[in-house]
Amino acid sequence: MMNLSINGQSRLSDSPPDTPLLWVLREELRMTGTRYGCGLGLCGSCTVHINGQAVRSCQLKVSEVGSAAITTIEGLHPANAHPVQKAWVEIQVPQCGYCQSGQIMQAAALLAQNPNPTEKEIVEGMNGNLCRCATYPRIVGAVKRAAKLMKEKQNA
């Protein structure tokens, strides 16, 4: 049994060590907010945070996680009120919504590292997260808005 730290809680997994983290999250632990997209780490739908860094969970074996802190979309904020989540709703980013949990996790990691990114830095930081509906202008706008919300919260 592996003991995983997911969203601040200890969770046990008896999956084989070479099982992708994505499948442990979705199939064993029933945390379905993290999505399967391509299975090759190319689309970003499966993005989670490992010790605060955005990682493609379809490419990470559960045995490679060790004692690292895993954060999924379910654990980003207990009330879904992370500035990125708020901005996503305010800007009305999703169309079909399938890729959005990965987009949000990538954006949150980007803003944690760079709280005041330029538009170019946002595009570069979100590169590799694909959206079938091509809502990229709204995604960029929401990341800008989230950065502003974070700054307002810090100054309050």
Side-chain angles (χ1 to χ4, degrees), residues 95-138:
Q95 189 165 320
C96 83
Y98 193 82
C99 69
Q100 297 308 304
S101 61
Q103 298 278 0
I104 289 169
M105 295 304 286
Q106 185 72 34
L110 168 67
L111 292 174
Q113 293 176 349
N114 181 357
N116 192 26
T118 64
E119 186 165 327
K120 181 181 179 190
E121 290 169 330
I122 293 169
V123 170
E124 289 171 0
M126 297 300 293
N127 191 26
N129 280 73
L130 303 180
C131 175
R132 294 181 240 186
C133 303
T135 64
Y136 299 113
R138 292 189 294 214

Side-chain angles (χ1 to χ4, degrees), residues 22-92:
L22 173 63
W23 298 123
V24 172
L25 293 171
R26 289 187 60 79
E27 301 300 321
E28 184 178 346
L29 302 176
R30 302 291 183 216
M31 301 177 81
T32 57
T34 303
R35 305 287 172 83
Y36 171 79
C38 66
L40 301 171
L42 302 173
C43 73
S45 291
C46 67
T47 302
V48 298
H49 295 171
I50 305 292
N51 291 333
Q53 300 295 313
V55 174
R56 305 297 196 249
S57 64
C58 73
Q59 295 298 295
L60 184 65
K61 294 176 184 171
V62 70
S63 62
E64 297 172 334
V65 174
S67 63
I70 303 164
T71 305
T72 68
I73 189 72
E74 293 93 345
L76 190 59
H77 191 281
N80 295 322
H82 185 282
V84 175
Q85 292 169 310
K86 287 179 159 184
W88 241 251
V89 171
E90 184 179 320
I91 303 293
Q92 298 180 8

